[in-house]
Amino acid sequence: MEPTEHTPPESPSPQPTTDLEDIERSLQETEELLSTIKQRYAQVQQAKLQQPELETRLATLKEEINAVQSQLSQTWEALESQLITWRDKEELFWQFLRFAGIGFALAMLVNVFVK
């Protein structure tokens, strides 16, 4: 008995090509991960190089801030002392007017009663 239909020969199973594709995909993912790790490592190295410079700059800025605060404090003291001086002068002015007015009024009274 001969078969009426011809059966095609069995092709190699798709398993080996799938394994190769899986390996290629895994290699690609590994390369991408390695590339990401290399980039992060480069960023860390660059940050380590910048750190001393930034710390020095921070110290300089703190010194400048302290100097500016000191100057500002001195300026406020100078302005405050001028304000106190003006208040003192203003008070002296009003005292002068008060006593001069009283003296004038007394002089007028004495002038009226003496005549």
Side-chain angles (χ1 to χ4, degrees):
M1 266 206 307
E2 278 190 25
T4 56
E5 277 187 35
H6 184 288
T7 58
E10 289 187 21
S11 61
S13 70
Q15 185 78 13
T17 57
T18 305
D19 286 343
L20 286 176
E21 289 173 358
D22 287 344
I23 291 172
E24 287 178 13
R25 189 174 61 247
S26 294
L27 281 174
Q28 185 177 5
E29 289 173 359
T30 305
E31 287 174 354
E32 290 173 0
L33 181 60
L34 182 61
S35 175
T36 304
I37 291 171
K38 284 181 179 180
Q39 288 175 353
R40 181 64 184 139
Y41 179 75
Q43 288 174 349
V44 169
Q45 293 296 68
Q46 184 179 8
K48 281 183 179 181
L49 291 174
Q50 287 179 342
Q51 184 179 4
E53 177 186 336
L54 292 175
E55 287 175 350
T56 303
R57 196 165 156 214
L58 177 63
T60 303
L61 289 174
K62 284 182 180 179
E63 290 173 3
E64 287 182 28
I65 287 172
N66 288 337
V68 169
Q69 283 179 337
S70 175
Q71 289 176 352
L72 184 61
S73 176
Q74 291 172 357
T75 303
W76 276 110
E77 288 174 6
L79 289 173
E80 200 172 83
S81 68
Q82 288 179 356
L83 182 64
I84 290 171
T85 303
W86 174 250
R87 285 182 185 163
D88 291 342
K89 289 178 182 178
E90 184 180 8
E91 186 177 331
L92 288 173
F93 173 76
W94 288 113
Q95 284 181 356
F96 172 76
L97 280 182
R98 188 177 323 134
F99 291 122
I102 291 172
F104 181 74
L106 286 175
M108 292 298 287
L109 284 175
V110 168
N111 192 16
V112 169
F113 288 119
V114 172
K115 283 191 180 187

